Amino acid sequence: MNPSIETLREEASKKIAAASALEELEQLRIDYLGKKGSVPALMQSLKDLPNEEKPLFGKSVNELKGEISSLLSDKKDELSASVLNEKLQDEKLDITLPGSRYLLGKKHPINKVMDEAIEIFKGLGFSLEEGPEIESEYYNFEALNIPDNHPARDMQDTLYLPTGSLLRTHTSPVQIRVMEKQKPPFSFIAAGKVYRHDADVTHSPMFHQIEGFLVDQKTTFADLKGILETFLNQLFHKKISTRFRPSFFPFTEPSAEVDISCVMCDAKGCRVCQNTGWLEILGCGMVHPEVLKSVNLDSEEWQGFAFGVGIERITMLKYGIADIRLFFENDARFLNQF
Amino acid sequence: MKISLDWLKEFVDIPWSAEEVAERLTMLGLETESIEKIQCTTDKVVVGQILKIEKHPQADKLTVCTVNVKSEELQIVCGAKNMKEGDLVPVAMIGAQLPNGLKIKKGKLRGIESFGMMCSTSELLISEESDGLWLLPDTFKVGDCVNNSFPIEDTLFEIGITPNRGDCLSHLGIAREIAAYLEKPLKLPSTDFKEEKESVDKKIKVKVEDTDCLRYTARVLEGVRLEVSPVKIQLRLNRCGIRPINNVVDITNYVLLELGQPLHAFDLTKIKSNQINIRSARAKEKLQTLDDKELTLDKESMVIADADKPIALAGVMGGKESEVNEKTTSLLLESAYFDPSRVRKMSRSKALISESSYRFERGVDIENVAFASKRAAKLLQDVAQAKILKGVVDVQPKKWTKKKIKLRFSRIPKILGCDIPEKKILSILNGLGIETKTKNKDGVEVEAPTHRHDLSLEIDLIEELVRFYGTDNVPTTHPEAEVRPIQAKPEQQTVARLNQAALGMGFNQVLNYSFMAKKDLIPHFIPASQFDQNSLALENPITEELKYMRPRLLPSLLRTAQYNLARDNKEIAIFESGSTYHPNSKGNGQTTERPSFTLLMSSKEPKVNWKENSLSADFYDIKGISLSLLNALNIFDLNMIPLKDSVYHPGQAGAWVSDKKEIAYVGQIHPLVLKHFSIEPPLFAVEIFLDLIPYKRERLNKLRPIPKFPKVSRDIALVLPNATSEQDVRDVFNQLKSNLLENVSLFDVYQGAQVPEGMKSLAYSLHYRSQDDTLTDELVEKEHQKICQVLKDKLGCEFRA
């Protein structure tokens, strides 16, 4: 082994290993491998050697050249990586600052609960129907077995428009409108705004209802209990106890108001349920023969149930909202919580 | 209505606690809304006699009394003024707890010791108000517990009676339900009294001319002593919410609460010619009512008249002139049945609602009419020493026929989904007084009792059965599924897509009332001169602020913006979907509802925060948003034209036109409109009129192939007069027939030093591509020059380097 080659190899590998910057490394490349560098200089000395030594020496110098370039290249990768690392370190951000833009808006809680209810009923096979908010006495009352001059009219304080039209007091007129246009069997819900002459902490002159309606040749009161229990369990995401309290609606019979076990206190008794453990949540019943008669359906052949749910009431219970007026003030600090 | 448990127990033996009564009634459909327990340490409230009344040495308003309660003599300091020595009073002794919660302790008032309290009626919850001590009649014995004479303690239920159950508007009615449930007998109150020899026919003639009077009974009582009612009657009336007046009026009210039959007592001497006519009023007849209103009557009014004139509005209210007063000694006691809907009509048209009209319009029991009259006569004899003339005038022009109803047993499981044993069916019907007339294996035929106006159909009986069988005993099942396709309606999908797109862009959904104030509509949304024909007003609004149905969503959203800005919620980024309401232009009273969508944005873009707080939105942002919203509805063929609407900034608003219809408005809100709502400009809005938008499904275009060859782009800058719109330029590009020009994109708009005054520069990138080949420079250059020439020819523009 040629001593000068060995010396150079050792020196080069030390210096390359010690290099700390890319510029320094470039200088070492020039020093060793550049045109006037040490390795080409060694190659120059080849011509002065005896012929028999030339092949071996030449091979050794070439090997040395190879080794140095590979050391240089490895070192270059190493130094580049650390330079990039430093640069990335400099770019470090406070990732805890808030993200900006591209945030979703908030659905109004009433629409949120209404959409949820609609989805549940879709899954149970109910389609969605609509009807006008400005209604006639006929659809809002008479066809629903609420004759003029009947005390049942007092159950719903009505807002009137000129020439006898009115703002619908419930979504039930949609029952009549759908039955007039389509053929039985029916299974639909109707959702939307309804109006009453009423305004306080728990009553709003405008509120939202979902009406459910199922008429075929065999649906029973027991089925009504089943559908409503399924709906309530899904809506409140837990097992809800119900009681069907006999009541009166002119357009259903038998009629019932449905109470659920208080969701605020798990029926232990609290202010919201007035210590009864029960919350009144919706009205329902079997469609009254008079209602079927008003659309020329024979109640011997067709039967089924109807129910009406107040969305504000359910939303208030779901989110612990005490004042119904909050829904219509649209304060951003309210809306942003949903 | 208020129901006393103590009173109920006179009709039926009730083995339940107050809570159980409430629970049972509620589950029978008689919703018990509250329970009020009146409790008192009754052994410590005794009758005392005031022996001595002395002035309090330290206080002018107090006295020091010595009171004998038999076991001892008590010194009691008192603030009342109405007593004198010798009076009997209720005394609450030390340790007593009164119904109003007061606990009696030994006390010192201004230095004088006091050993108990003398009570007023209100302190014992006998009346709501009182002035001074309750001076007891001399039938009370010193030292006795006050409770021995009448029950201080009771439980009151507030029961919500549904409009179909007029029969439950009395203690008898509620007791009947309980008795039926318990299968126990109902005990009716006593009607025993002594009659005079003289017959009632001699004293009064009754003629029923109006057929809406189905029964009229009259009884005559003489020698009546008008005075204060006995304590028990006062107590019950007070606790059930009726103010005691005198023994005669109180007894009619007492029987009303007891049996549900409204009664009226006339002063017999005021009835001209002792003649009662029940007839329709003659036009313009007048009646001064008990509550001092002068009514002008009409043919719709049914009146009780004497030989001359009306003396009462039938079933609604008596007249002032024939009212009993302190001089009254002879009475005509009326007990009648008037047609429910006739009474309701009168009560509504005269705006008079009374305890009587409330019951008559729900239907009273025609068979109970005579019984109630007897019961009142008995009480008047007991309490007011009335001499009762023999017999009663009882006119019933038409016989009442009880309704017959068939009940098929097979219908019960068909409707309810479960069987009820036949034995149970029969016992429920029997318990309710529903009489079975015939019976076979398939069912029964029954007769509805006269107090149940709500029973006429088979389904009414099934309701009774489930009420008493218990809804809890009906199983919970699911309807047998039938697979039916459910397809959301196009309109529903339109609204859902818009809402979703707006939420996705960071806007919050709001909900406003459908009605609003006139002041927010005039003059910008409806000009004052056209307000009446173009607005839709409620006849009976909650307030003036909520009187007009909104013709546009925008004014509501501006109010919402103002509400939030006033509360320092600075970022306005909201939208609402809902109907707008319009009178028909023909003025025929018809109305239309239009589905609508409106979005409102302040210049601070939604959800921008610390990082970009200097960014502010402008017209082009709202235009972009509106385009995205319309695209979400699959509407792509859109043109914008200038919008003339005084709500918007005249130079920064446009209407989107699709299929020749202006389907949406976009722009900056006019500063004067904002000023009305106290909002600082700018604010931007999009209004989309959904009724003008045809529902479009997603476009089902065939896929265009992804280009195989590279594109070549050339940039040009056109110098144009300011008046030339970008649309003019785009129109030229759109009309070009070039196979190579793939598309054009605007990348800069410039006005300033580099272009002449009054001119602007629009810079475009033109992208060329061939579907078959890689383009050569030569080919592109040739096409590009051709296009530049067309632009120059059509727009007269210069090109900037």
Side-chain angles (χ1 to χ4, degrees):
Chain A
M1 199 44 57
N2 189 305
S4 56
I5 291 176
E6 277 312 298
T7 316
L8 197 59
R9 174 180 280 125
E10 266 174 46
E11 181 202 292
S13 78
K14 258 190 210 157
K15 283 197 175 165
I16 289 168
S20 62
L22 287 168
E23 298 76 28
E24 198 183 330
L25 199 66
E26 178 59 11
Q27 192 54 54
L28 288 173
R29 189 190 65 78
I30 293 162
D31 290 350
Y32 292 111
L33 304 180
K35 269 185 189 158
K36 290 174 184 166
S38 316
V39 177
L42 270 180
M43 210 45 126
Q44 282 294 318
S45 68
L46 182 77
K47 63 181 191 304
D48 304 327
L49 289 177
N51 276 344
E52 66 275 14
E53 289 178 23
K54 275 181 185 164
L56 187 62
F57 185 79
K59 195 177 163 221
S60 300
V61 174
N62 272 332
E63 277 172 11
L64 178 64
K65 188 180 170 188
E67 277 171 42
I68 291 176
S69 348
S70 127
L71 284 172
L72 281 168
S73 146
D74 289 354
K75 189 68 184 179
K76 190 176 176 184
D77 287 351
E78 186 191 318
L79 288 177
S80 307
S82 78
V83 166
L84 179 62
N85 259 339
E86 262 170 51
K87 181 169 175 276
L88 294 182
Q89 281 305 315
D90 288 346
E91 289 169 4
K92 185 177 171 182
L93 295 181
D94 177 1
I95 57 158
T96 65
L97 278 169
S100 72
R101 307 185 97 183
Y102 313 115
L103 299 175
L104 288 178
K106 303 293 182 132
K107 211 186 245 189
H108 193 282
I110 292 295
N111 289 82
K112 203 172 150 145
V113 172
M114 192 138 83
D115 289 353
E116 216 175 310
I118 291 170
E119 277 311 305
I120 295 171
F121 284 118
K122 259 190 201 168
L124 293 169
F126 290 78
S127 64
L128 182 60
E129 298 286 347
E130 277 165 358
E133 293 169 27
I134 298 178
E135 266 294 3
S136 65
E137 295 253 354
Y138 176 76
Y139 285 106
N140 197 71
F141 293 123
E142 283 152 40
L144 289 163
N145 194 29
I146 315 174
D148 197 11
N149 269 314
H150 192 279
R153 288 256 171 137
D154 296 346
M155 293 170 87
Q156 299 175 356
D157 250 335
T158 310
L159 287 162
Y160 286 95
L161 286 158
T163 65
S165 51
L166 50 83
L167 295 181
R168 65 176 179 189
T169 56
H170 46 190
T171 41
S172 310
V174 182
Q175 293 180 11
I176 306 295
R177 290 185 174 274
V178 172
M179 285 196 287
E180 280 180 348
K181 266 187 276 168
Q182 300 172 23
K183 287 205 156 61
F186 304 106
S187 66
F188 61 83
I189 54 170
K193 293 184 172 117
V194 299
Y195 304 86
R196 305 256 174 106
H197 195 287
D198 215 352
D200 61 35
V201 175
T202 53
H203 295 92
S204 169
M206 179 185 93
F207 59 102
H208 296 75
Q209 251 187 10
I210 289 189
E211 180 92 3
F213 195 80
L214 197 162
V215 163
D216 58 15
Q217 290 167 311
K218 55 182 184 297
T219 293
T220 64
F221 190 80
D223 295 329
L224 169 62
K225 285 182 74 178
I227 286 281
L228 288 177
E229 278 188 16
T230 304
F231 164 64
L232 292 168
N233 286 340
Q234 290 192 20
L235 190 70
F236 287 98
H237 308 293
K238 58 178 167 183
K239 179 86 186 99
I240 297 277
S241 312
T242 55
R243 67 173 187 184
F244 286 67
R245 187 157 43 71
S247 187
F248 170 72
F249 306 108
F251 35 95
T252 51
E253 185 163 22
S255 302
E257 281 190 289
V258 180
D259 294 344
I260 59 168
S261 48
C262 182
V263 288
M264 311 305 257
C265 62
D266 281 326
K268 289 188 188 79
C270 66
R271 194 183 53 80
V272 177
C273 62
Q274 294 172 337
N275 283 313
T276 61
W278 294 105
L279 293 169
E280 185 180 320
I281 202 120
L282 60 87
C284 65
M286 300 300 286
V287 178
H288 199 286
E290 289 295 326
V291 173
L292 295 172
K293 199 167 141 190
S294 75
V295 291
N296 297 317
L297 287 180
D298 181 1
S299 59
E300 290 290 310
E301 189 181 354
W302 301 101
Q303 66 177 63
F305 60 68
F307 58 84
V309 191
I311 302 301
E312 274 74 3
R313 169 90 173 140
I314 288 190
T315 311
M316 290 168 88
L317 291 173
K318 266 191 101 150
Y319 297 104
I321 298 167
D323 187 343
I324 200 167
R325 291 169 293 204
L326 281 170
F327 290 127
F328 307 107
E329 281 170 357
N330 299 302
D331 192 316
R333 294 164 297 180
F334 173 77
L335 296 175
N336 282 329
Q337 292 184 43
F338 294 93
Chain B
M1 75 173 292
K2 277 248 168 71
I3 292 289
S4 145
L5 181 57
D6 186 57
W7 203 345
L8 278 183
K9 285 179 173 170
E10 291 183 3
F11 295 91
V12 58
D13 294 327
I14 302 176
W16 300 321
S17 70
E19 286 73 18
E20 283 167 330
V21 173
E23 165 79 14
R24 262 305 114 220
L25 289 175
T26 295
M27 290 311 284
L28 286 175
L30 302 165
E31 188 181 2
T32 308
E33 288 154 1
S34 66
I35 306 177
E36 183 193 348
K37 288 189 179 174
I38 297 171
Q39 285 167 321
C40 179
T41 46
T42 50
D43 58 326
K44 294 208 161 62
V45 181
V46 299
V47 180
Q49 183 167 37
I50 302 172
L51 301 177
K52 204 157 61 177
I53 304 177
E54 291 163 308
K55 277 191 176 168
H56 191 294
Q58 318 292 339
D60 290 345
K61 293 190 171 164
L62 297 177
T63 54
V64 181
C65 302
T66 310
V67 185
N68 171 23
V69 294
K70 197 173 178 193
S71 55
E72 56 190 314
E73 285 183 9
L74 300 173
Q75 172 175 293
I76 297 176
V77 179
C78 183
K81 292 254 183 298
N82 64 325
M83 68 290 192
K84 58 182 191 305
E85 289 176 0
D87 279 347
L88 295 178
V89 291
V91 177
M93 300 195 294
I94 288 162
Q97 179 156 7
L98 298 184
N100 67 359
L102 195 66
K103 279 184 188 156
I104 306 301
K105 285 179 280 195
K106 186 176 135 185
K108 223 180 207 181
L109 281 97
R110 294 286 197 94
I112 304 283
E113 286 189 310
S114 182
F115 301 87
M117 188 179 92
M118 295 184 281
C119 304
S120 67
T121 48
S122 60
E123 280 151 351
L124 296 174
L125 294 191
I126 288 164
S127 66
E128 267 182 37
E129 287 163 26
S130 56
D131 59 285
L133 299 181
W134 181 22
L135 306 178
L136 299 170
D138 49 18
T139 49
F140 285 76
K141 282 218 307 264
V142 174
D144 277 6
C145 291
V146 173
N147 199 57
N148 292 355
S149 305
F150 64 90
I152 299 177
E153 292 195 303
D154 198 358
T155 299
L156 299 175
F157 303 105
E158 181 66 50
I159 302 181
I161 309 285
T162 52
N164 58 326
R165 295 305 302 273
D167 64 298
C168 286
L169 291 168
S170 65
H171 285 76
L172 169 70
I174 300 291
R176 193 157 39 206
E177 293 276 306
I178 295 174
Y181 186 86
L182 290 168
E183 300 182 11
K184 283 188 177 178
L186 193 62
K187 292 176 278 185
L188 292 177
S190 159
T191 55
D192 295 340
F193 55 80
K194 211 176 83 209
E195 281 186 342
E196 300 300 306
K197 291 214 178 73
E198 192 182 356
S199 169
V200 66
D201 303 334
K202 303 263 154 44
K203 275 282 161 78
I204 196 79
K205 294 269 177 293
V206 174
K207 201 163 124 203
V208 175
E209 293 171 11
D210 193 314
T211 50
D212 279 339
C213 172
L214 282 85
R215 186 173 187 185
Y216 196 93
T217 69
R219 209 177 269 286
V220 171
L221 300 91
E222 294 182 331
V224 173
R225 275 174 51 191
L226 207 76
E227 50 192 24
V228 174
S229 291
V231 175
K232 183 172 156 185
I233 289 179
Q234 288 193 51
L235 171 105
R236 284 189 167 169
L237 290 182
N238 262 318
R239 287 186 178 172
C240 292
I242 293 183
R243 201 164 48 86
I245 295 168
N246 56 49
N247 52 2
V248 172
V249 174
D250 291 354
I251 283 166
T252 59
N253 284 328
Y254 187 88
V255 175
L256 172 101
L257 294 177
E258 184 175 56
L259 305 178
Q261 172 65 43
L263 301 170
H264 188 69
F266 297 94
D267 184 331
L268 185 64
T269 60
K270 304 284 170 57
I271 298 176
K272 187 103 184 262
S273 312
N274 285 15
Q275 173 71 43
I276 289 284
N277 292 331
I278 298 97
R279 59 166 170 86
S280 298
R282 305 191 178 101
K284 294 194 180 145
E285 268 187 316
K286 297 223 160 41
L287 176 69
Q288 180 97 12
T289 57
L290 283 175
D291 61 352
D292 284 326
K293 278 186 197 140
E294 186 171 80
L295 302 181
T296 303
L297 305 171
D298 48 53
K299 273 190 277 176
E300 289 295 301
S301 321
M302 174 166 53
V303 295
I304 315 302
D306 62 12
D308 275 359
K309 58 183 183 312
I311 55 171
L313 189 60
V316 181
M317 199 169 283
K320 186 88 182 166
E321 209 187 312
S322 56
E323 184 185 12
V324 293
N325 59 38
E326 59 278 11
K327 290 181 194 140
T328 302
T329 55
S330 22
L331 300 178
L332 179 125
L333 179 68
E334 164 198 294
S335 179
Y337 183 99
F338 302 113
D339 176 70
S341 73
R342 180 71 177 274
V343 172
R344 183 172 166 86
K345 261 187 228 159
M346 288 191 285
S347 151
R348 304 214 107 195
S349 73
K350 304 290 177 251
L352 277 178
I353 296 173
S354 62
E355 293 283 346
S356 290
S357 69
Y358 193 80
R359 283 169 178 79
F360 277 123
E361 66 178 59
R362 281 157 178 75
V364 300
D365 181 356
I366 199 160
E367 280 184 358
N368 194 31
V369 165
F371 180 75
S373 167
K374 272 186 175 168
R375 172 67 176 155
K378 183 231 166 21
L379 291 173
L380 284 165
Q381 185 158 83
D382 289 357
V383 164
Q385 287 81 46
K387 296 190 171 64
I388 302 167
L389 265 56
K390 194 170 144 205
V392 59
V393 181
D394 187 345
V395 185
Q396 199 170 355
K398 211 167 42 181
K399 196 178 172 318
W400 181 276
T401 41
K402 287 187 182 175
K403 279 176 218 144
K404 287 206 165 57
I405 313 166
K406 283 202 176 84
L407 173 65
R408 293 161 290 171
F409 295 144
S410 63
R411 286 299 281 178
I412 298 165
K414 181 88 173 40
I415 297 291
L416 297 181
C418 67
D419 275 307
I420 300 178
E422 195 179 313
K423 217 179 124 196
K424 183 76 189 163
I425 294 171
L426 297 175
S427 86
I428 291 171
L429 295 176
N430 184 47
L432 285 165
I434 301 169
E435 202 180 330
T436 302
K437 291 309 224 187
T438 60
K439 175 177 172 303
N440 60 32
K441 67 175 181 5
D442 298 326
V444 289
E445 190 176 29
V446 301
E447 245 177 29
T450 48
H451 60 270
R452 292 298 300 271
H453 298 273
D454 59 326
L455 303 181
S456 59
L457 304 173
E458 185 178 46
I459 195 74
D460 300 328
L461 297 178
I462 294 176
E463 177 169 63
E464 292 306 291
L465 296 176
V466 74
R467 222 159 51 83
F468 279 82
Y469 182 63
T471 52
D472 287 350
N473 293 321
V474 176
T476 297
T477 57
H478 268 90
E480 280 173 43
E482 267 174 50
V483 178
R484 297 188 201 116
I486 295 183
Q487 172 85 57
K489 306 234 162 355
E491 320 74 84
Q492 293 158 4
Q493 290 188 18
T494 303
V495 173
R497 282 178 190 170
L498 269 181
N499 289 350
Q500 214 48 55
L503 290 169
M505 288 188 278
F507 291 82
N508 281 350
Q509 187 178 30
V510 300
L511 264 177
N512 286 292
Y513 287 136
S514 302
F515 9 76
M516 52 191 311
K518 184 176 187 173
K519 70 172 165 55
D520 283 350
L521 293 171
I522 285 182
H524 303 290
F525 293 93
I526 305 177
S529 60
Q530 299 161 23
F531 191 77
D532 289 341
Q533 58 268 41
N534 288 340
S535 63
L536 195 54
L538 290 172
E539 304 256 279
N540 56 337
I542 304 266
T543 66
E544 278 299 307
E545 300 284 293
L546 302 174
K547 180 167 179 179
Y548 293 91
M549 299 305 291
R550 55 180 175 171
R552 252 159 113 167
L553 304 185
L554 189 55
S556 307
L557 284 160
L558 288 169
R559 264 287 152 239
T560 302
Q562 185 267 331
Y563 183 91
N564 275 288
L565 290 167
R567 280 155 188 79
D568 215 21
N569 302 328
K570 293 209 175 76
E571 174 194 297
I572 302 301
I574 52 177
F575 72 97
E576 181 170 7
S577 305
S579 289
T580 58
Y581 312 86
H582 313 268
N584 196 315
S585 51
K586 289 176 200 138
N588 56 4
Q590 297 294 304
T591 54
T592 43
E593 279 171 56
R594 300 178 64 188
S596 197
F597 172 96
T598 298
L599 176 144
L600 194 66
M601 178 176 84
S602 52
S603 63
K604 203 160 154 25
E605 285 181 63
K607 314 290 181 199
V608 172
N609 55 7
W610 57 274
K611 188 171 147 242
E612 295 162 279
N613 55 14
S614 59
L615 282 186
S616 67
D618 59 19
F619 172 80
Y620 298 108
D621 292 296
I622 197 78
K623 185 179 175 188
I625 288 165
S626 66
L627 188 65
S628 294
L629 291 169
L630 293 169
N631 286 170
L633 302 179
N634 294 323
I635 299 171
F636 297 93
D637 59 325
L638 286 162
N639 255 330
M640 182 162 276
I641 60 163
L643 171 62
K644 285 188 184 62
D645 183 309
S646 61
V647 171
Y648 287 94
H649 187 304
Q652 292 191 17
W656 282 118
V657 178
S658 172
D659 205 12
K660 294 181 189 149
K661 282 180 286 200
E662 292 186 18
I663 59 168
Y665 293 169
V666 186
Q668 190 185 148
I669 306 291
H670 198 292
L672 285 178
V673 176
L674 293 185
K675 194 175 165 200
H676 171 84
F677 289 93
S678 317
I679 300 172
E680 284 293 310
L683 212 53
F684 303 92
V686 182
E687 291 175 278
I688 302 179
F689 309 107
L690 297 174
D691 54 332
L692 302 180
I693 297 180
Y695 168 71
K696 289 194 175 174
R697 285 178 202 290
E698 194 188 342
R699 284 190 300 191
L700 297 173
N701 289 341
K702 286 278 185 300
L703 183 74
R704 277 170 300 169
I706 308 292
K708 290 195 184 89
F709 302 97
K711 70 175 177 190
V712 178
S713 301
R714 293 287 158 88
D715 293 349
I716 49 168
L718 282 63
V719 178
L720 293 157
N722 274 338
T724 307
S725 73
E726 205 264 338
Q727 182 72 50
D728 298 337
V729 181
R730 217 155 351 108
D731 288 344
V732 175
F733 279 122
N734 287 340
Q735 285 155 18
L736 286 172
K737 291 188 179 69
S738 165
N739 292 329
L740 300 183
L741 185 65
E742 190 179 59
N743 60 48
V744 176
S745 59
L746 175 75
F747 68 87
D748 189 37
V749 179
Y750 175 78
Q751 279 172 295
Q754 309 297 315
V755 294
E757 182 83 14
M759 307 287 274
K760 64 184 171 188
S761 152
L762 299 178
Y764 291 91
S765 284
L766 281 61
H767 307 291
Y768 296 95
R769 194 197 305 268
S770 159
Q771 296 302 322
D772 320 310
D773 242 330
T774 301
L775 286 175
T776 61
D777 267 2
E778 217 174 301
L779 209 57
V780 170
E781 190 54 33
K782 206 176 141 197
E783 186 73 7
H784 189 65
Q785 284 313 322
K786 215 168 82 189
I787 288 172
C788 287
Q789 192 55 52
V790 175
L791 290 169
K792 197 164 182 173
D793 291 348
K794 296 218 167 162
L795 296 165
C797 60
E798 297 293 324
F799 296 101
R800 256 171 92 211

